[in-house]
Amino acid sequence: MVNFTRSPSGIRNSALFFGVDRIVYVEGTGADQNFWKNVFDVFYSGPLRFHFKSLGSRSAVLPYADGIAKGSITNIVAIVDSDYEGLRFSRFNIPNLIYSYGYSFENDLLTPKQAIKLISQLSGDAGIRKYKNLLQRLGKAATELSALSVLDFVAQFNDQYLLEKNGKTCKLHIKNNSMEVICSNSIKAAKKSLITRGVKINGRPTKLIRDQITKNPKHRWIYGHLWQATFTKCVSDELRKKWSVTINPDGLVHLAINNVLASNGKVFTHQQISEYKKQISYIR
């Protein structure tokens, strides 16, 4: 675990330099930071003032989270991605320690409701029937990728890796304008790879995890960058094909983050809203 660059007392008093009550340390980049700032703006109604600071890697945030959990650090908030640990361990309601609802902020942000909102904004067309194909394609993608996520979880549980995490698409090919978003051969190849390495992919433990990962919303436990790449690909394909509108993936994510605040959180599922409200209510 990374050592603190400041003493606990220094960390506790760091908010004074920004004229706020709490520093919020966020895992990830500026996009993560802006997302969580908007979540707080929507769901926090208390008197505290916050300054958000993204720290990049998970390992940079964990020492703060650990200090909060142990009670050795106060006056800060730490936000970390759940990753697969959200499936393996029960979350305790620890004040000032917040987890993403899904695997990471991308899963929380890029929901079917968000897809409809983005298409409506960028196309100027509010006809819900015109979104049917997009929602079906996103649903199919979530089903395919959640099946791969089950295998990836089983691999990691056996101290191995299945999905290549260095690239945003995990070296998977995302098809253009096709209802089969991820080639079905990818799932077959993944199963064969694990069996070859002696990993048991059947049995009760795998079934329990499959039941968790593949239940709705199915995009919840997909590797975050992979879901973002798939979501933005599906939305941009639809915009280009039906309305001749082009926008890059980062532009879609930026607009989606703004929609969190603009919609007052209505782009989230009811489960997400309940989870955010509960966690944020514990901030002291």
Side-chain angles (χ1 to χ4, degrees):
M1 191 169 281
V2 178
N3 291 326
F4 289 113
T5 55
R6 297 179 181 174
S7 66
S9 62
I11 294 169
R12 285 195 298 270
N13 294 322
S14 60
L16 297 174
F17 292 98
F18 295 95
V20 297
D21 301 297
R22 303 286 183 271
I23 301 292
V24 182
Y25 294 99
V26 182
E27 175 184 349
T29 64
D32 302 66
Q33 174 181 309
N34 293 335
F35 168 78
W36 284 109
K37 182 179 184 303
N38 284 352
V39 169
F40 271 57
D41 284 345
V42 171
F43 297 114
Y44 180 77
S45 57
L48 298 177
R49 298 164 298 162
F50 303 98
H51 174 77
F52 290 77
K53 185 175 182 180
S54 58
L55 296 182
S57 69
R58 184 179 182 83
S59 61
V61 183
L62 286 181
Y64 295 96
D66 189 52
I68 290 172
K70 291 178 178 178
S72 60
I73 303 177
T74 58
N75 293 352
I76 69 166
V77 177
I79 302 178
V80 294
D81 291 341
S82 289
D83 292 354
Y84 287 143
E85 290 181 8
L87 290 165
R88 297 177 62 179
F89 304 106
S90 298
R91 293 177 184 169
F92 297 98
N93 295 319
I94 300 174
N96 295 20
L97 181 55
I98 292 176
Y99 293 91
S100 61
Y101 172 73
Y103 187 98
S104 65
F105 104 93
E106 292 94 342
N107 308 70
D108 288 10
L109 173 68
L110 303 174
T111 64
K113 287 183 179 181
Q114 184 73 259
I116 293 173
K117 181 73 172 176
L118 290 168
I119 292 287
S120 177
Q121 286 174 294
L122 293 167
S123 70
D125 191 338
I128 188 67
R129 286 177 296 178
K130 296 189 176 181
Y131 307 148
K132 183 178 179 181
N133 183 70
L134 171 62
L135 294 177
Q136 287 179 338
R137 194 169 180 228
L138 283 173
K140 184 71 164 64
T143 298
E144 294 167 355
L145 293 176
S146 63
L148 275 176
S149 296
V150 172
L151 297 175
D152 187 47
F153 179 93
V154 172
Q156 291 192 34
F157 190 75
N158 287 272
D159 297 319
Q160 299 191 43
Y161 288 89
L162 179 65
L163 295 177
E164 175 58 60
K165 301 296 175 67
N166 291 330
K168 289 185 177 181
T169 63
C170 299
K171 295 187 177 180
L172 296 173
H173 175 63
I174 303 174
K175 293 184 176 182
N176 292 325
N177 300 315
S178 171
M179 193 53 70
E180 184 186 60
V181 185
I182 304 297
C183 181
S184 58
N185 288 335
S186 297
I187 299 176
K188 293 178 182 177
K191 289 182 178 178
K192 184 177 180 180
S193 171
L194 292 181
I195 292 171
T196 301
R197 285 182 269 168
V199 176
K200 295 181 179 179
I201 62 172
N202 295 311
R204 182 171 173 76
T206 302
K207 182 182 183 304
L208 292 173
I209 289 301
R210 183 181 293 112
D211 290 344
Q212 286 251 56
I213 290 179
T214 59
K215 70 180 181 181
N216 290 326
K218 291 186 178 180
H219 68 272
R220 182 179 179 183
W221 298 110
I222 297 167
Y223 176 55
H225 287 173
L226 176 57
W227 177 243
Q228 177 179 314
T230 304
F231 179 97
T232 54
K233 174 68 174 169
C234 290
V235 171
S236 61
D237 281 352
E238 196 76 2
L239 283 167
R240 185 176 61 255
K241 180 181 177 181
K242 289 188 176 179
W243 292 279
S244 300
V245 173
T246 57
I247 183 170
N248 63 45
D250 289 342
L252 278 174
V253 172
H254 177 75
L255 183 56
I257 290 172
N258 289 342
N259 285 342
V260 171
L261 186 58
S263 72
N264 199 35
K266 292 180 181 178
V267 291
F268 296 136
T269 65
H270 294 302
Q271 300 100 312
Q272 280 178 268
I273 292 172
S274 176
E275 185 68 24
Y276 292 148
K277 285 182 176 179
K278 182 176 72 174
Q279 292 195 77
I280 290 174
S281 71
Y282 288 110
I283 292 177
R284 300 291 183 266

